[in-house]
Amino acid sequence: MLVYARVENYRSIGEKQTLNFLASDDSTHDNTIIYEKENERILPVIPIYGGNATGKTNILKFLKTLTDLVNNKITLEQAYEPCKFYNKKSIEFELIFFYKKIKYYYKIKYNKKNILEEALYYYLENKMMKIFDIENKETSFGENFEQTLKPYSEDKMKSISFLNMISKFLKGKVSEIDSVANFFENNLVFLGIDEISLNIEEAKKIFKERNKDGKVKKFIDYFYKHLNLGASGIRYSRKFDNILRKKILEDKELLSKILKSKRTNINLKLEDLFDEFSVEDSLDLIYNIGNKEILIPLSEESNGIQKIFTLGTYVSDILCSNKILIFDELETGFHPLLARKIIELFLDRDFSKSQLIFTTHNTNLLDLEIFRRDQIYFTSRSEKTKYQSVFNSLGAIVGVRQSEDIEKAYLQGKYCNIPDYKEFKIKDLLGEASC
């Protein structure tokens, strides 16, 4: 669970900018707040608004780049994208987060060739306790970690995260290191960033690896039931096992039982078995017509249907696992009411402590009946900001009343710079004669 995210000198972001997930003392929508600890009030959802080219996506990309660096999926050179309008050479990321009820602080600072600073702390009764801290080529360790971690500091590579290195060498030996490594590897889910899109194969993987207790499947069925798409649910089928095939050849009664369980024609000939059962894992949509159940492979449905059902699988897994969904342009390709329903699921405290961070241009969601003022963020980038992206929450803007029409105020440019399309006229470009 994210508490605080700060970035400096990355892409369009120059001076330090912060996303703060700690709720203010605003009492509105208190029923949506996540209470990880008694005095820790965490926001579950943060929508990010702003005009095109103001840096909305770069806020999400910094989290993706940080995650990829820690997981050693990209090199420093690939991660090195400093702001062209800022005079520093190094990039800096900071993150505070909860994992298994323990709060951690992680920081990394790097240039094109070397990691200059890296630190990991955990909190004990609001006091920061050091695990390791690397700064100015000097490495120090917390008292409880020095004996275990120090031998690895002598061999550390300047181009690879120390956290990544020790998590591999000490897997299962230091619980705090394991927890932080697991957080970065498994708890941040990105969609719409760097061409990461909804994927049927990944949806199959969710069913195969993370649905052993049926919780994800149950939630997905509930999700689809309320979408009015026609299908009543979705079914995952594993590929037909070769050992089972061999057993069927030896025992024809077994074949009859399997066909009945699959609601398949019990007179099916053995040689037709390979056509009836997929040789690959499959996701099938369930349609009920009268008393008959018809299965349609998801891969044969329209792109729109595929997108909605795979999104439902992702969202269900995230909500059931208390993960964080980071989604660029949430509304793209979806009905506005579906986007709103997804947001409401993340705001519902009855079953999940998951979080959602998303960028959007959908002003219908700019509604204080949905969000608190401290949840909504706006980005700006102009000559006034020295062409650097700046972002602030609505809660930091003085004088915004709970009754204010924030959608109208946003479109009027009250909270951040927006394009002035009223002054855009073709005749000004082409001239009167051409028009």
Side-chain angles (χ1 to χ4, degrees):
M1 183 188 311
L2 291 176
V3 178
Y4 176 99
R6 175 179 281 181
V7 54
E8 180 182 18
N9 194 28
Y10 178 73
R11 295 175 68 88
S12 64
I13 301 166
E15 293 183 3
K16 285 187 177 181
Q17 299 295 314
T18 303
L19 277 182
N20 189 356
F21 296 83
L22 283 174
S24 67
D25 57 5
D26 186 343
S27 62
T28 58
H29 301 305
D30 255 6
N31 60 325
T32 68
I33 297 296
I34 302 172
Y35 288 85
E36 186 60 24
K37 287 191 175 180
E38 200 171 305
N39 60 340
E40 300 276 4
R41 291 159 36 90
I42 311 296
L43 299 171
V45 179
I46 286 185
I48 303 171
Y49 284 86
N52 294 108
T54 56
K56 298 187 302 299
T57 298
N58 289 337
I59 300 173
L60 309 187
K61 277 195 170 187
F62 115 70
L63 293 169
K64 178 69 168 60
T65 299
L66 170 59
T67 302
D68 287 346
L69 271 177
V70 172
N71 292 328
N72 199 28
K73 290 184 177 180
I74 57 174
T75 64
L76 283 180
E77 188 171 355
Q78 290 171 318
Y80 188 68
E81 296 183 80
C83 179
K84 305 296 184 184
F85 302 97
Y86 196 54
N87 58 9
K88 285 192 176 181
K89 299 295 183 183
S90 59
I91 296 173
E92 186 174 318
F93 300 146
E94 295 173 88
L95 210 63
I96 296 177
F97 57 94
F98 275 101
Y99 188 74
K100 293 184 177 179
K101 297 188 179 297
I102 297 176
K103 187 162 71 170
Y104 295 93
Y105 167 84
Y106 179 74
K107 170 187 173 181
I108 189 167
K109 184 177 181 180
Y110 64 95
N111 57 28
K112 193 173 184 177
K113 294 184 178 180
N114 296 309
I115 294 174
L116 307 174
E117 297 178 17
E118 187 178 7
L120 179 63
Y121 288 74
Y122 71 97
Y123 288 76
L124 183 64
E125 296 179 353
N126 295 323
K127 183 179 179 181
M128 290 182 71
M129 308 295 290
K130 186 191 299 182
I131 297 176
F132 68 82
D133 197 326
I134 303 168
E135 185 175 0
N136 297 326
K137 299 181 181 181
E138 296 293 326
T139 304
S140 58
F141 302 94
E143 184 178 348
N144 296 331
F145 302 93
E146 184 167 7
Q147 184 175 354
T148 306
L149 301 184
K150 190 173 183 180
Y152 298 93
S153 64
E154 298 170 2
D155 298 323
K156 71 177 184 292
M157 297 177 65
K158 294 181 180 179
S159 60
I160 296 177
S161 159
F162 185 61
L163 171 60
N164 177 270
M165 185 186 76
I166 58 176
S167 69
K168 297 292 187 291
F169 285 115
L170 297 172
K171 190 171 184 178
K173 296 181 180 179
V174 182
S175 61
E176 291 84 357
I177 298 295
D178 287 341
S179 289
V180 174
N182 285 334
F183 173 83
F184 280 109
E185 186 173 354
N186 300 311
N187 272 49
L188 298 160
V189 180
F190 297 89
L191 286 175
I193 303 169
D194 294 336
E195 299 182 355
I196 297 174
S197 59
L198 298 163
N199 185 293
I200 292 179
E201 293 306 313
E202 181 62 26
K204 290 179 184 178
K205 187 177 178 182
I206 289 170
F207 271 91
K208 186 175 182 178
E209 298 180 2
R210 300 195 280 276
N211 189 43
K212 292 180 180 178
D213 60 357
K215 189 176 180 182
V216 173
K217 172 67 167 60
K218 185 177 179 180
F219 191 92
I220 288 171
D221 286 344
Y222 173 82
F223 182 80
Y224 295 145
K225 182 180 177 182
H226 293 82
L227 292 182
N228 297 319
L229 296 173
S232 61
I234 192 166
R235 180 175 296 164
Y236 167 72
S237 301
R238 296 179 184 275
K239 60 186 175 182
F240 200 59
D241 191 276
N242 286 329
I243 297 174
L244 185 56
R245 293 180 189 222
K246 184 178 178 181
K247 288 183 178 180
I248 288 172
L249 289 171
E250 297 169 351
D251 182 357
K252 294 194 175 181
E253 285 187 9
L254 180 59
L255 170 62
S256 178
K257 291 176 183 178
I258 292 173
L259 295 178
K260 283 181 180 179
S261 70
K262 291 280 290 184
R263 294 179 175 85
T264 303
N265 178 11
I266 61 172
N267 296 316
L268 187 72
K269 295 178 182 179
L270 190 59
E271 57 266 27
D272 295 328
L273 190 63
F274 293 96
D275 293 331
E276 183 67 23
F277 291 90
S278 174
V279 294
E280 297 294 334
D281 293 354
S282 66
L283 284 177
D284 302 318
L285 300 190
I286 305 169
Y287 291 87
N288 293 312
I289 301 177
N291 295 323
K292 191 175 182 181
E293 190 178 82
I294 297 176
L295 301 180
I296 304 294
L298 183 58
S299 59
E300 295 180 11
E301 291 280 9
S302 68
N303 288 337
I305 291 291
Q306 288 183 28
K307 191 173 182 180
I308 289 172
F309 275 82
T310 49
L311 173 66
T313 305
Y314 278 63
V315 169
S316 299
D317 178 52
I318 290 164
L319 289 169
C320 290
S321 308
N322 292 330
K323 295 180 181 180
I324 302 155
L325 176 57
I326 301 166
F327 206 144
D328 193 24
E329 298 189 358
L330 172 66
E331 76 282 3
T332 302
F334 299 118
H335 191 282
L337 292 179
L338 175 57
R340 181 166 179 146
K341 173 51 67 177
I342 291 170
I343 292 165
E344 289 173 353
L345 289 171
F346 280 88
L347 291 171
D348 190 337
R349 294 279 65 79
D350 288 341
F351 54 82
S352 178
K353 289 185 177 181
S354 300
Q355 288 175 298
L356 169 65
I357 311 161
F358 67 96
T359 64
T360 182
H361 290 288
N362 184 356
T363 60
N364 291 327
L365 299 172
L366 268 177
D367 188 346
L368 293 178
E369 292 297 317
I370 306 174
F371 297 116
R372 296 160 49 94
R373 282 165 287 197
D374 53 3
Q375 283 182 278
I376 303 168
Y377 273 73
F378 299 104
T379 58
S380 294
R381 183 170 176 253
S382 64
E383 185 177 1
K384 186 178 179 180
T385 66
K386 301 177 183 177
Y387 300 105
Q388 300 173 27
S389 295
V390 174
F391 40 99
N392 293 293
S393 78
L394 183 63
I397 300 173
V398 178
V400 179
R401 301 184 305 276
Q402 182 64 27
S403 59
E404 186 165 325
D405 185 343
I406 60 171
E407 178 184 13
K408 181 179 179 181
Y410 167 69
L411 293 173
Q412 291 174 341
K414 184 175 179 180
Y415 307 135
C416 61
N417 296 328
I418 61 168
D420 186 3
Y421 294 117
K422 291 180 182 179
E423 301 300 321
F424 183 80
K425 297 177 182 178
I426 293 295
K427 69 178 182 180
D428 292 340
L429 179 66
L430 302 178
E432 294 282 355
S434 300
C435 295

